[in-house]
Amino acid sequence: MSMLREFQTIGYDLFVAGLNNSHSGNMSIRVNRMMAITRSGSMLHRLEYNDIVETLIDGEDSESARASRERPVHRAIYLQTGAQAIVHAHPPQLIAASFFCDKFEPVDAEGRYFFPTGIPVVEVVNAIASDEVAAKIAPLLKSTPVVIVRGHGTFAVGNSLEDGFHYTSSLEHSARIASAYRANSNSR
Amino acid sequence: MSMLREFQTIGYDLFVAGLNNSHSGNMSIRVNRMMAITRSGSMLHRLEYNDIVETLIDGEDSESARASRERPVHRAIYLQTGAQAIVHAHPPQLIAASFFCDKFEPVDAEGRYFFPTGIPVVEVVNAIASDEVAAKIAPLLKSTPVVIVRGHGTFAVGNSLEDGFHYTSSLEHSARIASAYRANSNSR
Amino acid sequence: MSMLREFQTIGYDLFVAGLNNSHSGNMSIRVNRMMAITRSGSMLHRLEYNDIVETLIDGEDSESARASRERPVHRAIYLQTGAQAIVHAHPPQLIAASFFCDKFEPVDAEGRYFFPTGIPVVEVVNAIASDEVAAKIAPLLKSTPVVIVRGHGTFAVGNSLEDGFHYTSSLEHSARIASAYRANSNSR
Amino acid sequence: MSMLREFQTIGYDLFVAGLNNSHSGNMSIRVNRMMAITRSGSMLHRLEYNDIVETLIDGEDSESARASRERPVHRAIYLQTGAQAIVHAHPPQLIAASFFCDKFEPVDAEGRYFFPTGIPVVEVVNAIASDEVAAKIAPLLKSTPVVIVRGHGTFAVGNSLEDGFHYTSSLEHSARIASAYRANSNSR
């Protein structure tokens, strides 16, 4: 599958599954010393050729300004971990749950299988595209495939966008189950 | 992208994302002294060539009667603001929340980033296609990209339908998060 | 649009909008003394040529046995009303609400606009494909475009499948808003 | 319809309907002494030719290692029942409800019609791909078309993948209605 097609497929699926709204989230793939990252302001579910920006991981070039605002976070992750791809999304049930815990712990079997020790939630003062986010989450992503920025969303890493999508989709599914679990528990 | 294709794409996405039901909502684009607006009774997620009506912004012509019932609201917005496009939708969580506040204030980071002072909710006696709605919301849309008509839905303005979709989708995402936040809060 | 295409489009949209599950619901169009009705056991979101059964409205023929189990209800509606098309669906929020009221009354502006006096809920002993349902709802559909069978689903009539889809989709949207309204109300 | 197309269609619909996340679930069809089963790690909503693995039902061969982790469960079901096809999914409302009952009993008419005695919930220590799951659920599937593994998901059997999809989709629809029913009940 071509790289553009991989961006398009995963971007579309994130939207259809309710993991992003029309313009939220961003994705990137490591390509040697460069990253291919979604354009600032692009709609991940309707990506076109011009929406993928190839820019240096470490340093500025003529394309940097077109990249997603979250590029500093992607840069820090690529510099500090072995991630080959990054998916940032806004899964609503996880975001809501993140206000109430320092670690998201699934109650369902699949969630416990993939995330046996839970997923860390980090608190930041400035959640959007900040150096603070970069500094706090990049080190964590050496030992966990996903981090939740409290009240903001997820950063998931892996060998491909599909990996990042997998972790994001699975975790939000667990958060939906956990939410329904609490509703059941309270109404009986 | 052709104008028809832009209407079709945004109309489809509004439906798939649950921001409109089969026949709710309407959209328009300013074209000099005219507006291109969706047909009264059209399904925004399945728009065809005949579903886009070009009619005068200020005045009546042979096409006016085919336009969306909400045309008076679109007209007032075009006359009083610099809006190039308008998206009216019925996002269910925002509509529900609008009964309980005079301003919708997101709890999530993206919502606070895009809408730092919140989004005004206006109360009207007659919410559907009324001069009252036109008179109340057009002035507000000079300084905010979205207004919520209590119990009815959103009017979002921008330079393109994509802008209006962006604001609508982002706000409803914030309303879903806010709703899940309250459910979490109450069950702990 | 061909009749098959109309069935396919509306059937698909009902599923995508969550108004039916994989095999629930059925639809028909009046064609003179016949009705074209979906096949028993068909998936409304993936209808093919053989899934549309043309059979007498009043009487049995070689195709009757292939028609939806709910054919007796469709027959009674065609005999007692001027309906040109019928959409039966299983909208989950409306079904849940139907246990608690004799009339569903929207709280949102669109719902009140289209259904100013509310939508009747009928109680039956045997809700599935019964003569009892036929006898109770057909007379009501002379004066209301939709009836809710308590705990079962909706029957909506109009001049086309699109009309039936419109009423069904709009009502369930109102039921979602009403449900979120109550959740908001209880958590403040 | 070709077998690959049947896998693709049902896999896609399971995802769109929210019954699986990006990589959850698996499906198989009995083909004489073999089963055709989805590949371990495949995305059911985007299956390609190489994602369908043909392997012995009873015994190991060169393809076994590529099959879904849940192959032991599929094997036990094929050996102990007349199932021609199996659908395993993760319907979130059912999973949440399964923590609170030993049998899921629908409140809606369709659910009671298809599942008049309810659907058994089995408790296991190790829910993922275990011999324990195989041993507990295969005997039950002689007399019920679906079993829920507590906190994990559903196994549904029938003459085709469509049958398994039918039971899964219908049950989760009932679980959504039951959840909304309780929310209504508590807020009145």
Side-chain angles (χ1 to χ4, degrees):
Chain A
M1 185 155 57
S2 77
M3 194 170 73
L4 175 58
R5 184 98 178 86
E6 189 180 352
F7 274 107
Q8 290 174 323
T9 302
I10 303 300
Y12 182 79
D13 288 353
L14 287 166
F15 178 72
V16 163
L19 303 169
N20 268 327
N21 61 56
S22 67
H23 290 70
S24 71
N26 40 72
M27 304 183 284
S28 70
I29 296 177
R30 186 201 291 262
V31 186
N32 301 317
R33 293 174 53 219
M34 312 284 284
M35 68 171 98
I37 186 169
T38 48
R39 182 178 62 78
S40 176
S42 60
M43 297 194 281
L44 297 199
H45 65 303
R46 294 203 175 269
L47 292 170
E48 293 173 11
Y49 181 78
N50 278 325
D51 292 324
I52 309 302
V53 178
E54 300 199 42
T55 182
L56 280 169
I57 288 176
D58 197 14
E60 300 298 312
D61 55 38
S62 62
E63 284 292 85
S64 306
R66 292 180 61 235
S68 163
R69 262 186 303 272
E70 302 277 7
R71 189 172 70 101
V73 182
H74 291 244
R75 181 202 289 136
I77 294 171
Y78 286 128
L79 291 176
Q80 295 180 44
T81 77
Q84 296 302 310
I86 302 169
V87 171
H88 169 48
H90 290 197
Q93 287 290 344
L94 267 182
I95 293 173
S98 74
F99 286 102
F100 301 94
C101 58
D102 295 321
K103 191 158 76 164
F104 176 74
E105 301 187 277
V107 297
D108 66 298
E110 187 195 84
R112 289 178 175 278
Y113 179 83
F114 282 120
F115 311 109
T117 59
I119 291 297
V121 174
V122 303
E123 169 84 30
V124 294
V125 176
N126 181 1
I128 308 285
S130 67
D131 290 337
E132 184 190 4
V133 171
K136 285 201 174 164
I137 76 172
L140 293 172
L141 287 167
K142 291 176 190 168
S143 53
T144 176
V146 196
V147 167
I148 306 168
V149 178
R150 179 167 290 148
H152 177 203
T154 47
F155 287 87
V157 300
N159 288 319
S160 63
L161 294 180
E162 187 182 323
D163 280 354
F165 174 43
H166 182 175
Y167 301 133
T168 309
S169 175
S170 179
L171 259 190
E172 176 70 356
H173 208 77
S174 289
R176 286 177 196 165
I177 293 167
S179 166
Y181 174 92
R182 280 195 311 274
N184 264 272
S185 182
N186 291 333
S187 66
R188 284 166 195 266
Chain B
M1 185 154 56
S2 76
M3 194 171 72
L4 174 59
R5 185 97 178 88
E6 188 180 352
F7 273 107
Q8 291 174 322
T9 301
I10 303 300
Y12 182 79
D13 288 353
L14 286 165
F15 178 72
V16 164
L19 304 169
N20 269 328
N21 60 57
S22 66
H23 290 70
S24 70
N26 39 74
M27 304 183 284
S28 71
I29 296 176
R30 186 200 292 262
V31 187
N32 302 317
R33 294 174 51 219
M34 313 284 284
M35 68 172 99
I37 186 169
T38 48
R39 181 178 62 79
S40 176
S42 61
M43 297 195 282
L44 296 199
H45 65 303
R46 293 202 176 271
L47 291 171
E48 294 174 11
Y49 180 78
N50 278 324
D51 292 325
I52 309 302
V53 178
E54 300 199 43
T55 183
L56 281 169
I57 288 176
D58 198 12
E60 301 297 313
D61 54 39
S62 61
E63 284 291 86
S64 305
R66 292 180 61 234
S68 164
R69 262 185 304 271
E70 303 276 9
R71 189 172 70 100
V73 182
H74 291 246
R75 181 202 290 137
I77 295 170
Y78 285 128
L79 291 177
Q80 295 180 44
T81 78
Q84 296 302 310
I86 302 170
V87 171
H88 168 48
H90 289 196
Q93 288 290 345
L94 267 182
I95 293 173
S98 74
F99 286 102
F100 301 93
C101 58
D102 294 321
K103 192 158 76 163
F104 175 75
E105 301 187 278
V107 298
D108 66 297
E110 185 196 84
R112 289 178 175 279
Y113 179 81
F114 282 120
F115 313 109
T117 59
I119 291 297
V121 174
V122 302
E123 168 86 30
V124 294
V125 177
N126 181 1
I128 308 284
S130 67
D131 290 336
E132 183 189 4
V133 171
K136 285 201 173 163
I137 76 172
L140 293 172
L141 287 168
K142 290 177 193 168
S143 54
T144 176
V146 197
V147 167
I148 306 168
V149 178
R150 179 167 291 150
H152 178 202
T154 45
F155 286 86
V157 300
N159 287 320
S160 62
L161 294 180
E162 187 181 323
D163 280 354
F165 175 43
H166 182 176
Y167 301 133
T168 308
S169 174
S170 179
L171 259 190
E172 176 71 355
H173 209 78
S174 289
R176 286 177 196 163
I177 293 167
S179 166
Y181 175 93
R182 281 195 310 275
N184 264 274
S185 181
N186 291 332
S187 66
R188 284 163 196 268
Chain C
M1 185 155 55
S2 77
M3 193 170 73
L4 174 59
R5 185 96 177 90
E6 188 181 351
F7 274 107
Q8 290 173 322
T9 303
I10 303 299
Y12 182 79
D13 288 353
L14 286 166
F15 178 73
V16 164
L19 304 169
N20 269 326
N21 61 56
S22 67
H23 289 71
S24 71
N26 40 74
M27 304 184 282
S28 70
I29 296 176
R30 187 200 292 261
V31 186
N32 302 316
R33 294 173 53 218
M34 312 285 284
M35 67 172 97
I37 185 168
T38 48
R39 182 177 62 77
S40 176
S42 60
M43 297 195 281
L44 296 199
H45 65 301
R46 292 202 176 269
L47 292 170
E48 294 174 11
Y49 181 79
N50 278 322
D51 292 324
I52 309 302
V53 178
E54 300 200 43
T55 183
L56 280 169
I57 288 177
D58 197 14
E60 300 298 312
D61 55 38
S62 62
E63 284 292 85
S64 306
R66 292 179 61 233
S68 163
R69 261 186 304 271
E70 302 276 7
R71 188 171 71 100
V73 182
H74 290 246
R75 180 202 289 135
I77 295 170
Y78 285 128
L79 291 176
Q80 294 180 44
T81 78
Q84 295 302 309
I86 302 170
V87 171
H88 169 48
H90 289 196
Q93 287 290 345
L94 267 183
I95 293 174
S98 74
F99 286 102
F100 302 93
C101 59
D102 295 321
K103 194 158 75 162
F104 176 74
E105 301 186 279
V107 298
D108 65 299
E110 186 196 83
R112 290 178 176 279
Y113 179 82
F114 282 120
F115 312 108
T117 59
I119 291 298
V121 174
V122 303
E123 168 84 29
V124 293
V125 177
N126 181 0
I128 308 285
S130 68
D131 291 336
E132 184 190 4
V133 170
K136 285 200 174 164
I137 75 172
L140 293 171
L141 287 167
K142 291 176 192 168
S143 54
T144 176
V146 197
V147 167
I148 307 169
V149 178
R150 179 167 291 149
H152 178 204
T154 46
F155 286 86
V157 299
N159 287 320
S160 62
L161 294 180
E162 187 181 323
D163 280 355
F165 174 43
H166 182 175
Y167 301 133
T168 309
S169 174
S170 179
L171 260 189
E172 176 71 356
H173 208 78
S174 289
R176 286 178 196 163
I177 293 167
S179 166
Y181 174 92
R182 280 196 310 275
N184 264 274
S185 182
N186 289 333
S187 66
R188 283 162 194 269
Chain D
M1 186 154 58
S2 77
M3 194 170 73
L4 175 58
R5 185 96 178 88
E6 188 181 351
F7 273 107
Q8 290 173 323
T9 302
I10 302 300
Y12 182 79
D13 289 353
L14 286 166
F15 178 73
V16 164
L19 304 169
N20 269 326
N21 61 56
S22 67
H23 290 70
S24 70
N26 39 74
M27 303 184 283
S28 70
I29 297 176
R30 186 202 292 262
V31 186
N32 301 316
R33 294 173 52 218
M34 313 285 284
M35 68 171 97
I37 186 169
T38 48
R39 182 178 62 77
S40 175
S42 61
M43 296 194 281
L44 297 199
H45 66 301
R46 293 202 175 269
L47 292 171
E48 294 173 11
Y49 180 79
N50 278 323
D51 292 323
I52 309 302
V53 178
E54 301 199 41
T55 183
L56 280 169
I57 288 177
D58 198 14
E60 301 298 313
D61 55 38
S62 62
E63 284 291 86
S64 306
R66 293 179 61 233
S68 162
R69 262 185 304 272
E70 302 276 6
R71 189 172 70 100
V73 182
H74 290 245
R75 180 202 290 137
I77 295 171
Y78 285 129
L79 291 176
Q80 295 180 44
T81 77
Q84 295 303 309
I86 302 169
V87 171
H88 169 48
H90 290 196
Q93 288 291 343
L94 267 182
I95 293 174
S98 74
F99 286 102
F100 301 94
C101 58
D102 294 321
K103 194 158 74 163
F104 176 74
E105 300 187 278
V107 298
D108 67 298
E110 186 195 84
R112 290 176 176 278
Y113 179 82
F114 282 120
F115 312 108
T117 59
I119 290 297
V121 174
V122 302
E123 168 83 30
V124 293
V125 177
N126 181 1
I128 308 285
S130 67
D131 290 336
E132 183 190 4
V133 170
K136 284 200 174 165
I137 76 170
L140 293 172
L141 287 167
K142 291 176 190 169
S143 53
T144 177
V146 196
V147 167
I148 307 168
V149 178
R150 179 167 291 148
H152 177 203
T154 46
F155 286 87
V157 299
N159 288 319
S160 62
L161 294 180
E162 187 182 323
D163 280 355
F165 174 43
H166 181 175
Y167 301 134
T168 308
S169 174
S170 179
L171 260 189
E172 176 71 355
H173 209 78
S174 288
R176 285 177 196 164
I177 293 168
S179 166
Y181 174 93
R182 280 195 310 275
N184 264 272
S185 182
N186 290 333
S187 66
R188 284 165 194 267

